[in-house]
Amino acid sequence: MHYVCTHCGKRTPTDTLTPHCECGGLFELDFEPPKWDESRIHKDTWNLFRYRDFLAVDDAVWPSVTMGEGMTPIIEYDESVYFKMDYAMPTLSFKDRGAATLVSHMKAIGVQKCVQDSSGNAGNSVAAYCARAGIECEIFVPEGTSPKKIDMIRAHGATATVVPGNRDHCADVCRAKVRDEGVYYANHVYNPYFYEGMKTYVYETLEQLGRIPRHIVVPVGNGTLFIGVVKALEHLQASGVITEFPTIIALQSQLCDPLYQAVLQKAPEPARITPEPTLAEGIAIGVPMRGRELLDMTYRHDIRFVTAPEDQILKVRADIARRGIYCEHTTAANYAAYLEYVRLYGPTPDALVTMCGAGIKSDH
Ligand SMILES: Cc1ncc(COP(=O)(O)O)c(C=O)c1O
Ligand SMILES: [Zn+2]
């Protein structure tokens, strides 16, 4: 298996320990999944590796890494909205999808030590899966990260290093360590194996509903779910399973919206913004590293962007909780943004919204 550089096109074997191409460009996988065919789902595998025929994964390793991630329920929230309950995962967030495939790859190529930066959830997932795989890890989180996320990271035996400043600075500090010490970068944005797991969000939805909903609401910080969803839908479209691409409604925080601003201006690069503190810590990314890629996909598929009104996040979270569903602040922003979209553009039926983080994670 090879990576291809998104900048210069150079191929690099995927057992490399470097985080990006020599030229600095980010990698993508040179992997074309076979045509979608439901009979190729391994229905006796009760985790996301049931879709392994369509994922770049190493068959020998994933069984010792999986913790039963994926296979999350879809529930009808009201007549227009389905929630996909993606906090029903081993570490209580959707990032377990990507961590399961990334850490399986790391184990397959013999990584023994890694670092990662995160707003909390991705680091939490990587810490847990590394613990399972016997890989040492250090997670960098920005100051102000929900303490419960930090506690969970430490409980898995990882070092949690809290970096003063915002989320983007935290990433810079971690990347400096990767550069200076050559340690493996188990990062959800850089490493294409993470996206393999995120694709299963769509495959599962298709298997569960027997179709793809008309609207798919996706939060975008660095865009790992966004990229996974687009790649999987492109795969289904190329396989003739769907003829029409659903409308993807991508959301950002009102206080940190570089992609939303870029789309307003039809710009090819994320806008330069100054992130302001938001309750939606998980999407507080001022400089999304794959910004150009995300915008290419946006224009290719006419993806809509909307922002989550900051003053609605706590209210929406409380309203959802009163109906039995306790999600974290960033996740409440998903539904707040959906409601904002309805307010702006009218009824938006048959919408799938991700409940991607559990409420207890952001209680403090
Ligand atoms: C709860 C939650 N929602 C959304 C996101 C955004 O994910 P991404 O940065 O991959 O777009 C995160 C990222 O950590 C998160 O924790
Ligand atoms: Zn390159």
Side-chain angles (χ1 to χ4, degrees), residues 348-359:
T348 308
D350 197 23
L352 183 71
V353 179
T354 176
M355 286 290 111
C356 55

Side-chain angles (χ1 to χ4, degrees), residues 51 88 110 114 135 140 142 158 161 184 234-235 245 249 257 301 318 321 327 351:
Y51 306 109
C114 69
I135 298 172
F140 291 77
T161 302
Y184 194 83
E234 285 178 345
H235 173 217
F245 220 76
I249 301 169
D257 58 356
H301 296 297
C327 69

Side-chain angles (χ1 to χ4, degrees), residues 94-95 119 121 188 219-225 282-283 328 330-331 356-357:
F94 68 137
K95 299 280 184 180
S119 67
N121 280 333
H188 52 300
V220 187
N222 274 305
T224 56
L225 182 62
I283 49 174
E328 69 166 277
T330 303
T331 297
C356 55

Side-chain angles (χ1 to χ4, degrees), residues 32 54 59 125 138 171 262 288 314 316:
E32 197 66 48
F54 309 106
D59 254 1
S125 293
E138 178 175 5
L314 291 178
V316 162

